[in-house]
Amino acid sequence: MKLKLLALITGALILVHASSSAQSKHTFALGDSTFLLDGKPFQIISGEMHYPRVPREAWRARMKMARAMGLNTIGTYVFWNLHEPQKGQFDFEGNNDIVEFVKIAREEGLWVILRPSPYVCAEWEFGGYPYWLQNEKGLIVRSREPQYLKEYEAYIKEIGKRLAPYQINHGGNILMVQVENEYGFYSNDLEYMKINKKMFEDAGFDGLLYTCDPMNTMKDGHIPGLLPGINGQDNPAKVKRTVNANHDGKGPYFISEWYPAWFDWWGTPHHTVPAVKYTGKLDSVLANGISINMYMFHGGTSRGFMNGANFKDNTPYEPQVSSYDYDAPLDEAGNPTEKFMAFRGVIEKHLPKGAQLPPVPAARPTISISAIKLNRYASLEDILPVPQANPVPLTFEDIHQDYGFVLYRTTLNGAKNGVLKLKDLRDYAVVMVNGKEVGTLDRRMKQDSMQVILPAGKVTLDILVENLGRINFGKYLLQNKKGITGKVLFDGAELKGWNMYSLPFKTLTGIKYQSGTYQGDSPVLKKGTFSLQTVADTYLDMSNWGKGVVWVNGHNLGRYWRIGPQQTVYLPAEWLKKGQNEIEIFEQLSPRKDEVKAVEKPILDKLQN
């Protein structure tokens, strides 16, 4: 009994000490050449990791990995489109619980750099903007336009209400807060940047604010009085010279985005960069006392429909893959890579005397799953909701739909053939005649027309259009509506009388499946079950399928597309369970497929025709 009482008292003292330590206030300030934590020089060694790209259940494990590599700080964007998916409706639950993410970082001994600037880029849908901004009349993002500033202010105040109390000057672990994001890349309205700064302050962000821009655009994106962070530059002399020129001849010196790797988009080779190309640069930066934020330390996965896309003049539309592995030090599943170990070795050289890094946690176990049979299906016709009718096609935004698919349907007289043309298709279309697929159109390939033969009689023309990701970078942020955004012509004549069926696939609850083998020739939703005795990470091998989306136990794991380079879909252990599990697949191109397997290693580097 005495031993039990002693244990309880000891436990209580530990909890009190932990709570007191967590709430103890620190100071964080700018010195002439270094950051000052409690008045002493402090070098930020940070790695970027985004809370929605990692299962909430795995946040802590990833942060332990960060500590093991030698990081003392985690950087993260805050994603407006997740937190205000519809105007005035805020969501901070589940994987959107950014406050819990910050708290766990503190418990794991990590500081946080917060990047709530409403535009994030991040290879994320619409650069983080919620789709509904495009429905606000006259609204112009990243400008002084009043309606934009009004919506922006409401959002940033909501973020401030939740996160400002966790700034270091209020006893929390948020060291710095970033204002806007690489604005100099976009424009040069410094009055707009000053408005940003004031909005952040009014939202309660009264600690250390900073901007981030590449060296060659800093003059257009930085405003006096804020620390200028530099993106994409790791030459110590250039970093110091640029910061000095924009900060009254002083530091501290901060590389706000350091890129030891890169991301992927559909139909192009997987990007990898050997660690040896960056270890020397990291060593030089740290030796010169420069603080750094690695983009990315851990990429994770852009699940659901959250990948973005790139598009510039005279280049193709480039939607990014769901895997955000990024060839980062920590791979998509959170395992240490060769790059992790190499960077850990460099950081270890620069630790304060007597300091030691924690041991590297073991890699996560993986399992394979032999053939999973999908023996139930729901045809496209079976899952259609009540449509919206209109003489001409309506965009996703017109029908207040954010992501997923819209089926466009009209009827016309047959017994003829001609060219079907979709003006300004965004982004991918499966074309069907009387329920049978006759072809596809792909914005990436600048395809908007195809020859179609119509049988005799009344013909139903269906066009299933997928939003492959809104543009997340550059001037085309203002041209991001989805669906059929122009006219539809057949044999030169405009087609009228359309029904729009909304298929956002936010949930698959309530869908009625039937047993048996699907014999149709149009997109289909399939369902199966599989049983597990052991739960661990695995990768669904979709290389023999066509194109679509996968859900397991209700979690949308992201897109697959046989063109690659990504051929597997990462399935985290946290979303599996012992016993029976459910898998659902929406397949657009190969509707007769009914079997899938899971493998122990990802396939991220395989292109197919």
Side-chain angles (χ1 to χ4, degrees):
M1 184 68 180
K2 287 182 178 179
L3 286 174
K4 186 175 181 181
L5 181 61
L6 181 61
L8 287 171
I9 292 171
T10 304
L13 288 172
I14 290 171
L15 286 173
V16 168
H17 174 75
S19 174
S20 171
S21 174
Q23 295 299 326
S24 61
K25 286 193 176 183
H26 296 271
T27 62
F28 190 67
L30 305 179
D32 286 350
S33 59
T34 65
F35 293 104
L36 299 174
L37 178 62
D38 296 332
K40 298 178 181 178
F42 179 74
Q43 187 172 28
I44 297 171
I45 307 176
S46 175
E48 191 89 2
M49 182 175 93
H50 301 147
Y51 54 100
R53 284 177 159 140
V54 179
R56 176 185 175 131
E57 301 90 336
W59 288 345
R60 189 179 299 276
R62 303 299 196 270
M63 291 179 186
K64 288 184 185 297
M65 282 289 188
R67 287 292 309 277
M69 198 178 85
L71 303 184
N72 55 34
T73 305
I74 289 290
T76 185
Y77 284 123
V78 184
F79 299 84
W80 187 356
N81 61 355
L82 293 184
H83 295 301
E84 195 178 4
Q86 300 291 341
K87 184 175 179 178
Q89 298 177 16
F90 289 96
D91 180 1
F92 290 88
E93 301 298 317
N95 246 85
N96 292 345
D97 192 351
I98 175 67
V99 172
E100 183 65 14
F101 183 83
V102 170
K103 286 180 178 178
I104 292 173
R106 180 171 65 187
E107 291 166 6
E108 293 301 322
L110 290 162
W111 303 103
V112 170
I113 292 174
L114 194 70
R115 311 175 74 190
S117 321
Y119 166 72
V120 300
C121 187
E123 291 71 61
W124 192 261
E125 225 276 346
F126 202 4
Y129 282 125
Y131 88 99
W132 54 262
L133 289 180
Q134 297 180 103
N135 284 344
E136 299 296 311
K137 190 174 181 180
L139 187 147
I140 303 173
V141 299
R142 307 189 85 179
S143 78
R144 284 186 274 165
E145 188 277 317
Q147 187 64 22
Y148 169 66
L149 294 180
K150 177 184 174 184
E151 303 300 347
Y152 173 5
E153 183 178 32
Y155 159 74
I156 204 65
K157 282 185 175 178
E158 188 70 26
I159 297 299
K161 181 173 70 177
R162 296 169 186 275
L163 288 171
Y166 293 91
Q167 294 172 104
I168 188 170
N169 52 316
H170 294 279
N173 58 321
I174 297 175
L175 288 181
M176 300 194 296
V177 179
Q178 181 182 295
V179 175
E180 243 282 355
N181 185 49
E182 294 188 324
Y183 179 70
F185 245 141
Y186 186 77
S187 190
N188 58 2
D189 185 353
L190 296 186
E191 287 303 313
Y192 164 70
M193 286 298 294
K194 291 175 183 176
I195 292 171
N196 275 259
K197 176 177 178 289
K198 185 174 188 307
M199 278 193 184
F200 273 58
E201 292 168 344
D202 291 345
F205 292 116
D206 56 359
L208 182 55
L209 303 178
Y210 76 100
T211 61
C212 80
D213 285 286
M215 189 171 69
N216 61 332
T217 66
M218 186 169 289
K219 63 180 176 55
D220 294 325
H222 173 255
I223 52 175
L226 298 187
L227 176 71
I230 294 183
N231 288 359
Q233 177 58 256
D234 52 20
N235 179 300
K238 289 182 179 179
V239 169
K240 290 183 177 182
R241 188 163 60 245
T242 304
V243 172
N244 288 341
N246 289 275
H247 200 231
D248 297 328
K250 300 177 181 178
Y253 308 103
F254 178 46
I255 301 172
S256 38
E257 289 187 12
W258 181 65
Y259 310 114
W262 207 240
F263 59 92
D264 291 339
W265 52 96
W266 293 111
T268 59
H270 177 51
H271 294 85
T272 59
V273 183
V276 68
K277 286 194 172 184
Y278 281 93
T279 49
K281 295 176 180 181
L282 179 61
D283 189 25
S284 176
V285 163
L286 297 182
N288 276 272
I290 295 171
S291 290
I292 194 168
N293 179 48
M294 300 178 189
Y295 193 103
M296 300 288 295
F297 158 67
H298 172 47
T301 312
S302 302
R303 293 184 179 86
F305 304 111
M306 285 296 110
N307 66 279
N310 278 343
F311 181 64
K312 297 181 287 187
D313 291 325
N314 304 315
T315 63
Y317 167 75
E318 297 171 340
Q320 289 113 23
V321 303
S322 291
S323 169
Y324 202 59
D325 178 87
Y326 218 91
D327 190 35
L330 214 58
D331 72 13
E332 182 177 10
N335 297 308
T337 65
E338 179 185 335
K339 192 172 288 183
F340 178 102
M341 299 308 296
F343 288 179
R344 171 184 159 95
V346 172
I347 294 169
E348 213 162 16
K349 287 172 52 180
H350 299 278
L351 292 177
K353 190 175 181 180
Q356 286 188 323
L357 295 181
V360 179
R364 293 162 63 90
T366 60
I367 56 173
S368 61
I369 307 172
S370 58
I372 301 168
K373 198 75 174 173
L374 291 97
N375 52 14
R376 284 178 284 169
Y377 69 89
S379 71
L380 193 56
E381 199 66 36
D382 291 337
I383 64 174
L384 294 181
V386 175
Q388 294 189 43
N390 199 64
V392 297
L394 299 173
T395 66
F396 278 52
E397 292 73 17
D398 292 334
I399 62 174
H400 301 282
Q401 181 177 331
D402 43 14
Y403 316 115
F405 303 78
V406 170
L407 181 74
Y408 294 82
R409 172 172 289 175
T410 191
T411 58
L412 59 163
N413 295 320
K416 55 187 174 183
N417 66 78
V419 174
L420 177 71
K421 182 178 178 66
L422 312 185
K423 298 197 73 174
D424 297 321
L425 167 66
R426 298 180 186 167
D427 301 298
Y428 188 88
V430 178
V431 180
M432 292 158 277
V433 172
N434 289 341
K436 183 176 181 180
E437 180 194 332
V438 295
T440 61
L441 296 172
D442 185 348
R443 181 185 180 187
R444 296 177 315 114
M445 312 300 290
K446 299 184 178 179
Q447 297 169 347
D448 66 356
S449 304
M450 61 183 292
Q451 192 80 22
V452 174
I453 300 173
L454 302 180
K458 283 287 184 183
V459 174
T460 299
L461 175 68
D462 286 331
I463 306 171
L464 181 69
V465 177
E466 178 182 7
N467 165 10
L468 275 177
R470 290 182 178 87
I471 295 162
N472 59 260
F473 180 82
K475 66 180 181 180
Y476 290 101
L477 284 173
L478 300 175
Q479 297 175 32
N480 250 332
K481 291 192 174 184
K482 291 298 182 179
I484 299 175
T485 63
K487 296 178 181 179
V488 179
L489 306 174
F490 183 76
D491 202 20
E494 183 178 1
L495 298 183
K496 297 286 187 75
W498 290 91
N499 281 322
M500 274 61 60
Y501 297 85
S502 177
L503 296 167
F505 288 136
K506 293 184 187 301
T507 175
L508 301 184
T509 303
I511 287 179
K512 295 179 180 178
Y513 293 89
Q514 53 185 305
S515 299
T517 302
Y518 181 66
Q519 297 296 332
D521 293 299
S522 61
V524 63
L525 194 58
K526 296 202 171 180
K527 185 173 185 176
T529 59
F530 58 99
S531 186
L532 295 177
Q533 293 182 331
T534 301
V535 170
D537 282 354
T538 192
Y539 301 87
L540 295 165
D541 183 355
M542 307 306 297
S543 57
N544 290 324
W545 288 63
K547 185 180 193 306
V549 186
V550 185
W551 294 258
V552 170
N553 295 330
H555 295 280
N556 187 330
L557 303 181
R559 308 178 208 255
Y560 63 89
W561 195 353
R562 76 180 312 275
I563 63 173
Q566 175 189 342
Q567 299 293 345
T568 50
V569 174
Y570 171 52
L571 175 49
E574 290 82 2
W575 292 346
L576 288 168
K577 53 192 176 183
K578 288 185 178 179
Q580 186 165 283
N581 295 263
E582 292 186 336
I583 181 170
E584 293 162 285
I585 300 177
F586 183 63
E587 168 60 44
Q588 297 163 250
L589 303 179
S590 301
R592 307 290 177 92
K593 294 288 182 183
D594 60 4
E595 195 172 277
V596 66
K597 64 180 180 179
V599 294
E600 294 183 12
K601 293 183 179 180
I603 305 169
L604 301 176
D605 58 356
K606 182 180 177 183
L607 296 174
Q608 301 189 99
N609 291 329

